[in-house]
Amino acid sequence: MNREIYMDYAATTYMKPEVIKDMKTYMDEYFGNASSIYHISRKTRMAIDISRKRVADAINSNIDEIYFTSGGSESDNWALKGIAFANKDKGKHIITTAIEHHAVINTCKYLEKLGFEITYLPVNKYGMVDLHNLKKAVRKDTILVSVMFANNEIGTIEPVKKIGDFCRHNKIIFHTDAVQAVGNIPIDVKTMNIDLLSMSSHKFYGPKGVGALYIRKGIRIDSLIHGGSQERGRRAGTYNTPGIVGIGKAISIAVKNLEVQKERLTKLRDMFIKELLEIQDTSLNGSPGKERLPGNINVTFKGIEAETLLIMLDSRGIYVSSGSACSAGALEPSHVLIAIGLTESMAKSSIRFTIGSGTTYEEIAYVLEVVKECVNKLRNNK
Ligand SMILES: *Cc1c(COP(=O)(O)O)cnc(C)c1O
């Protein structure tokens, strides 16, 4: 039997057929430049307006607070650099966490080179930020707090509303990288007091290379891409009409199915975790409680090299991820797993399974069977 099972939904998702269908219309029939005034361009402009409304509705923002970008990385870069540059007269201190995505961490590293000072908040063993640590880290010159909504490796959902309330009360701008959260868990930028929020379409069954940044009205932010007057003059470049149509369609489907999908995946996830923990010397990374993304399963198989297991699973048609990142040919342990207190060797023995819309009970049962077999094989070979 040669089957393929995809369990890496946190890396990217397949595209929903309805999304592809809608996008296609704006590749052939209505290909016009949205900034032109003739008929086909009126159609593209209307489609962009509809998409902007769909994205705004999904997070309860206003339509003129949504800016389309090329994805999560651009949104994170814009939020951090744009706020830093525009508010440097007020201060040069930024607070973030030790477990952010590289799009945030490496942007912070760059800002440090320019003279900004960054505090990387620690997290507890479940990957949660403690509000007391945030309060202690705040200085007179703190201009921005950036804490991710949910972590891409261990699935931990951060106390975003509490952080938002605190920042609003103290007049500090609050950005959240919500790339893993949008479409999976409910988000309301108004009640959560969020000032900026990053999202990426290919994490919720839309196309790659398109995302959005929500910027609350009145927030002072510099532009990073200068040119034409698109996106209210704040982000230049000819509208990526098919991509924008795609993100709008994808987010509307995701939000409509959110509760049902959340419940279904949570059940599958908990069953999966319970069975995996039956394997000897296996431990769960991230929160065992409800502060966990519905589709995230991250475990450590003590004594096993995750890369080896990953290749074995790949040869059986099962696609999963290890937290390690290959930098300059050397395998670096995941900064997230190190931050929650794992040793380097434990971190390098960890595997992330992420499930989603296409995942079935039957797939999980098969993966469990193969994982058990592979883990046993690797342990007995020693
Ligand atoms: C995927 C991801 C990003 C980057 O998004 P791209 O659209 O791939 O640039 C940023 N942050 C998190 C948490 C992610 O999971």
Side-chain angles (χ1 to χ4, degrees):
M1 186 167 59
N2 215 357
R3 55 187 301 184
E4 293 195 311
I5 296 178
Y6 184 75
M7 286 204 177
D8 203 11
Y9 282 80
T12 195
T13 56
Y14 64 91
M15 284 173 65
K16 291 257 160 93
E18 308 95 294
V19 175
I20 298 173
K21 183 172 164 281
D22 277 18
M23 286 176 70
K24 194 172 173 299
T25 314
Y26 293 88
M27 293 181 185
D28 46 33
E29 199 173 349
Y30 300 119
F31 66 88
N33 188 319
S35 305
S36 308
I37 57 166
Y38 33 73
H39 176 73
I40 47 169
S41 293
R42 272 207 300 277
K43 282 281 191 189
T44 35
R45 234 178 355 262
M46 270 168 56
I48 290 169
D49 289 345
I50 290 168
S51 258
R52 206 182 299 281
K53 171 97 169 71
R54 285 172 164 173
V55 172
D57 286 350
I59 58 168
N60 193 30
S61 77
N62 303 321
I63 46 175
D64 58 0
E65 295 173 318
I66 299 297
Y67 298 84
F68 291 116
T69 65
S70 66
S73 298
E74 186 191 325
S75 295
D76 286 342
N77 270 263
W78 187 10
L80 273 81
K81 293 177 195 165
I83 293 297
F85 297 162
N87 296 277
K88 60 179 187 296
D89 55 327
K90 286 197 195 133
K92 53 178 184 175
H93 182 233
I94 295 170
I95 299 172
T96 186
T97 80
I99 60 161
E100 297 296 311
H101 188 273
H102 282 119
V104 168
I105 298 244
N106 288 338
T107 303
C108 286
K109 294 256 161 72
Y110 172 72
L111 288 170
E112 278 178 310
K113 279 202 250 172
L114 299 185
F116 289 90
E117 288 167 30
I118 318 280
T119 300
Y120 299 90
L121 293 175
V123 291
N124 70 12
K125 64 175 177 176
Y126 297 134
M128 296 274 279
V129 169
D130 186 337
L131 205 64
H132 293 293
N133 286 332
L134 171 61
K135 285 177 187 168
K136 271 193 291 182
V138 168
R139 315 192 317 207
K140 269 205 173 68
D141 62 342
T142 305
I143 50 172
L144 174 68
V145 168
S146 180
V147 176
M148 68 199 319
F149 207 112
N151 184 268
N152 46 301
E153 290 187 37
I154 55 173
T156 304
I157 301 168
E158 299 298 338
V160 168
K161 179 169 162 47
K162 280 190 190 148
I163 297 168
D165 292 351
F166 171 77
C167 289
R168 187 65 54 88
H169 185 74
N170 289 278
K171 299 191 169 59
I172 302 167
I173 299 172
F174 173 44
H175 164 253
T176 185
D177 173 343
V179 172
Q180 292 290 335
V182 172
N184 288 318
I185 49 176
I187 298 177
D188 184 324
V189 293
K190 290 202 172 84
T191 62
M192 293 174 165
N193 283 322
I194 297 166
D195 295 313
L196 300 111
L197 177 146
S198 304
M199 69 171 82
S200 177
S201 147
H202 76 99
K203 303 287 173 80
F204 49 83
Y205 312 94
K208 292 166 185 52
V210 58
L213 180 65
Y214 149 78
I215 307 172
R216 190 166 71 88
K217 206 178 283 175
I219 293 290
R220 213 159 29 124
I221 185 166
D222 275 12
S223 294
L224 298 188
I225 301 186
H226 302 98
S229 60
Q230 293 91 353
E231 298 296 317
R232 303 159 58 83
R234 285 181 139 171
R235 198 276 187 186
T238 301
Y239 286 102
N240 169 13
T241 318
I244 292 170
V245 166
I247 189 176
K249 183 70 174 183
I251 207 166
S252 66
I253 297 172
V255 166
K256 198 170 77 197
N257 300 333
L258 195 141
E259 284 306 325
V260 174
Q261 175 83 338
K262 188 166 144 250
E263 204 170 306
R264 191 183 83 86
L265 291 181
T266 301
K267 269 197 198 133
L268 287 175
R269 177 198 74 191
D270 290 344
M271 188 270 290
F272 199 179
I273 291 175
K274 187 167 158 284
E275 290 292 324
L276 281 171
L277 294 181
E278 298 279 311
I279 302 174
Q280 245 194 358
D281 289 328
T282 304
S283 50
L284 179 71
N285 299 312
S287 169
K290 55 181 182 18
E291 306 307 324
R292 182 177 200 109
L293 284 174
N296 177 287
I297 298 104
N298 189 315
V299 290
T300 303
F301 299 108
K302 203 170 169 220
I304 281 179
E305 263 199 44
E307 291 307 301
T308 313
L309 179 56
L310 201 112
I311 291 162
M312 271 175 102
L313 292 175
D314 178 32
S315 73
R316 304 284 294 267
I318 296 169
Y319 308 134
V320 300
S321 162
S322 75
S324 335
C326 199
S327 65
L331 223 46
E332 287 288 323
S334 143
H335 65 288
V336 176
L337 297 177
I338 297 297
I340 61 171
L342 266 65
T343 61
E344 189 162 319
S345 126
M346 291 288 268
K348 286 183 173 177
S349 303
S350 303
I351 294 270
R352 178 188 74 182
F353 304 85
T354 43
I355 57 175
S357 195
T359 308
T360 61
Y361 174 85
E362 197 262 331
E363 275 190 353
I364 290 179
Y366 175 74
V367 170
L368 275 166
E369 194 182 304
V370 177
V371 168
K372 279 178 192 166
E373 187 192 314
C374 292
V375 168
N376 279 334
K377 206 179 266 175
L378 287 170
R379 284 192 173 143
N380 292 334
N381 277 349
K382 288 233 178 99

